[in-house]
């Protein structure tokens, strides 16, 4: 049987606790193999495993480091995933998340490397589209938050009109809401988000 994603994550957490030595999980594969989803599952498992008891805390409150680590995913996907000929939500970047653990709890997390495939922005191939964030912004352009940006139809933008405007299975309206919520959890207030967009 092929290795199970939670078994791999559990072994890494168990080895970390028993040996107090660094652990690494490398996720690789061809386009569409499920690397993005596997990374989310591993991050979620590690974050939940390292979390202290939530007794007395509001379950709906997203203020722990673990929550922030998990909420980095919608932001990374919005700015780093695009539609390709083989995959509608293809990661066009590489990341190395460096988790620092102290006393059985996540102490910090740093993205060590982030490599963005720049050609995707200016020259998408037939059947592809640029990064999701562009389409999220355009779909949400009538929201009061984005009105002052004066966003136009996607075909008005040279970098967008060459590629596809939609990606089956990707809801850009919902994606923008998730991106905005994640940025809020990560500490970006409305002014910082407006400047980012």
């Amino acid at each position: 049987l092929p290795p199970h994603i939670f078994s791999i994550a559990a072994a890494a957490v168990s080895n970390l606790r028993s040996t107090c030595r660094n652990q690494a999980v490398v996720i690789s594969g061809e386009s569409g193999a499920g690397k993005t989803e596997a990374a989310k599952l591993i991050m979620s498992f590690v974050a939940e495993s390292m979390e202290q008891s939530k007794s007395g805390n509001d379950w709906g409150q997203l203020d722990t480091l673990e929550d922030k680590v998990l909420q980095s995913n919608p932001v990374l996907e919005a700015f780093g995933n695009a539609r390709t000929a083989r995959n509608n939500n293809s990661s066009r970047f590489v990341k190395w998340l460096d988790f620092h653990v102290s006393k059985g709890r996540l102490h910090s997390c740093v993205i060590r490397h982030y490599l963005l495939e720049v050609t995707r922005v200016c020259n998408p191939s037939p059947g592809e589209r640029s990064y999701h964030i562009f389409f999220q912004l355009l779909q949400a352009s009538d929201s009061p938050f984005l009105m002052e940006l004066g966003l136009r139809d996607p075909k008005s933008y040279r970098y967008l009109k060459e590629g596809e405007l939609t990606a089956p299975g990707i809801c850009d309206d919902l994606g923008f809401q998730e991106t905005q919520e994640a940025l809020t959890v990560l500490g970006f207030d409305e002014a910082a988000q407006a400047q980012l967009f």
Side-chain angles (χ1 to χ4, degrees):
L1 288 176
H4 191 280
I5 197 74
F6 292 120
S7 175
I8 292 169
V13 170
S14 176
N15 288 338
L16 176 67
R17 287 184 172 143
S18 65
T19 66
C20 296
R21 295 183 59 121
N22 293 338
Q23 302 294 308
V25 176
V26 176
I27 301 169
S28 65
E30 294 183 19
S31 179
K35 296 179 298 293
T36 297
E37 293 305 314
K40 285 194 269 188
L41 290 171
I42 289 218
M43 287 171 62
S44 178
F45 185 92
V46 170
E48 290 294 322
S49 297
M50 294 293 161
E51 204 166 15
Q52 288 181 337
S53 168
K54 284 205 173 241
S55 59
N57 287 351
D58 178 6
W59 280 93
Q61 193 173 15
L62 290 173
D63 61 356
T64 66
L65 176 61
E66 291 86 354
D67 293 323
K68 289 179 180 180
V69 167
L70 296 177
Q71 287 300 310
S72 69
N73 273 318
V75 175
L76 292 173
E77 286 189 24
F79 285 89
N81 286 20
R83 175 183 175 181
T84 65
R86 296 182 65 187
N87 184 347
N88 291 332
N89 192 32
S90 181
S91 298
R92 310 316 307 158
F93 64 95
V94 176
K95 65 184 173 200
W96 178 268
L97 294 177
D98 197 352
F99 292 98
H100 296 231
V101 178
S102 176
K103 297 179 183 171
R105 214 170 130 68
L106 283 183
H107 178 66
S108 66
C109 178
V110 177
I111 298 176
R112 290 285 182 199
H113 299 283
Y114 187 85
L115 173 65
L116 190 63
E117 185 181 52
V118 180
T119 57
R120 180 83 44 208
V121 173
C122 54
N123 193 20
S125 298
E128 298 185 345
R129 79 171 192 169
S130 192
Y131 294 101
H132 296 325
I133 189 63
F134 298 127
F135 300 95
Q136 290 178 6
L137 288 168
L138 294 173
Q139 283 296 316
S141 63
D142 59 352
S143 75
F145 181 72
L146 296 174
M147 289 289 281
E148 66 186 48
L149 294 179
L151 297 171
R152 300 181 308 269
D153 179 80
K155 290 288 185 187
S156 302
Y157 299 97
R158 185 174 73 121
Y159 289 144
L160 301 183
K161 69 181 179 181
E162 301 297 324
E164 299 294 321
L165 301 180
T166 61
I170 304 293
C171 177
D172 293 317
D173 285 327
L174 179 60
F176 181 72
Q177 291 173 7
E178 290 173 351
T179 300
Q180 227 181 349
E181 289 168 8
L183 286 167
T184 300
V185 170
L186 293 170
F188 290 81
D189 61 15
E190 278 196 11
Q193 289 184 37
Q195 189 174 20
L196 176 67
F197 300 137

